């Protein structure tokens, strides 16, 4: 299993960024997959999760209305569209999955077994 995240960078407050996660080793037809982040001095937290078999999503409150997770099964890839970014969104973002979880809610409230390498998002003027 490999999860290759990309798309991070420097963006101004209020700006947008789209992260991509290329998945290999399993198909996006059953497991839950999601995005997590870790800011300096803070615990890693869930950002958005997706049930790939029924496309049900789950977001924590801070992400609702600003972040959108989606997938392209033909490319076996998952994306995170982030809009109206804030300085407090600065963190390393990880793509993660767990072959034993099919629920987006379950994945967001657990520690996934599979992790990508992370991509840095910096929100600053």
């Amino acid at each position: 299993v490999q999860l290759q995240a990309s798309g991070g960078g420097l963006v101004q407050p209020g700006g947008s960024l789209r992260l991509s996660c290329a998945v290999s080793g399993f198909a996006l037809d059953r497991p839950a997959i999601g995005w997590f982040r870790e800011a300096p001095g803070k615990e890693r937290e869930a950002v958005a999760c997706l049930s790939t078999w029924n496309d049900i999503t789950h977001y924590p409150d801070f992400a609702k209305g600003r972040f959108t997770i989606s997938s392209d099964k033909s490319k076996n890839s998952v994306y995170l569209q982030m809009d109206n970014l804030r300085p407090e969104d600065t963190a390393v973002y990880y793509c993660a999955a767990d072959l034993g979880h099919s629920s987006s809610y379950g994945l967001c409230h657990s520690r996934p077994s599979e992790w990508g390498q992370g991509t840095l998002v910096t929100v600053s003027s």
Side-chain angles (χ1 to χ4, degrees), residues 34-70:
W35 291 92
F36 292 70
R37 71 184 185 184
E38 186 170 342
K42 295 187 177 181
E43 291 188 357
R44 194 171 294 188
E45 61 181 352
V47 175
C49 296
L50 172 70
S51 299
T52 60
W53 68 280
N54 61 8
D55 292 331
I56 290 179
T57 56
H58 179 77
Y59 302 93
D61 287 344
F62 72 81
K64 290 178 181 176
R66 298 192 301 127
F67 295 179
T68 304
I69 186 172
S70 63

Side-chain angles (χ1 to χ4, degrees), residues 50-109:
L50 172 70
S51 299
T52 60
W53 68 280
N54 61 8
D55 292 331
I56 290 179
T57 56
H58 179 77
Y59 302 93
D61 287 344
F62 72 81
K64 290 178 181 176
R66 298 192 301 127
F67 295 179
T68 304
I69 186 172
S70 63
S71 68
D72 185 335
K73 291 179 172 57
S74 69
K75 296 181 179 179
N76 220 43
S77 294
V78 177
Y79 307 96
L80 181 68
Q81 177 66 39
M82 302 186 293
D83 299 317
N84 192 21
L85 283 161
R86 306 165 180 165
E88 54 264 37
D89 294 318
T90 295
V92 177
Y93 284 70
Y94 298 89
C95 181
D98 195 312
L99 302 188
H101 270 295
S102 59
S103 156
S104 55
Y105 178 90
L107 184 72
C108 267
H109 289 83

Side-chain angles (χ1 to χ4, degrees), residues 1-6 20-28 31-36 76-78 93-99 107 112-119:
V1 173
Q2 282 195 331
L3 304 168
Q4 185 74 30
S6 62
S20 299
C21 176
V23 178
S24 59
F26 65 93
L28 297 177
I33 191 165
W35 291 92
F36 292 70
N76 220 43
S77 294
V78 177
Y93 284 70
Y94 298 89
C95 181
D98 195 312
L99 302 188
L107 184 72
S113 59
E114 311 293 339
W115 293 86
Q117 86 288 2
T119 184

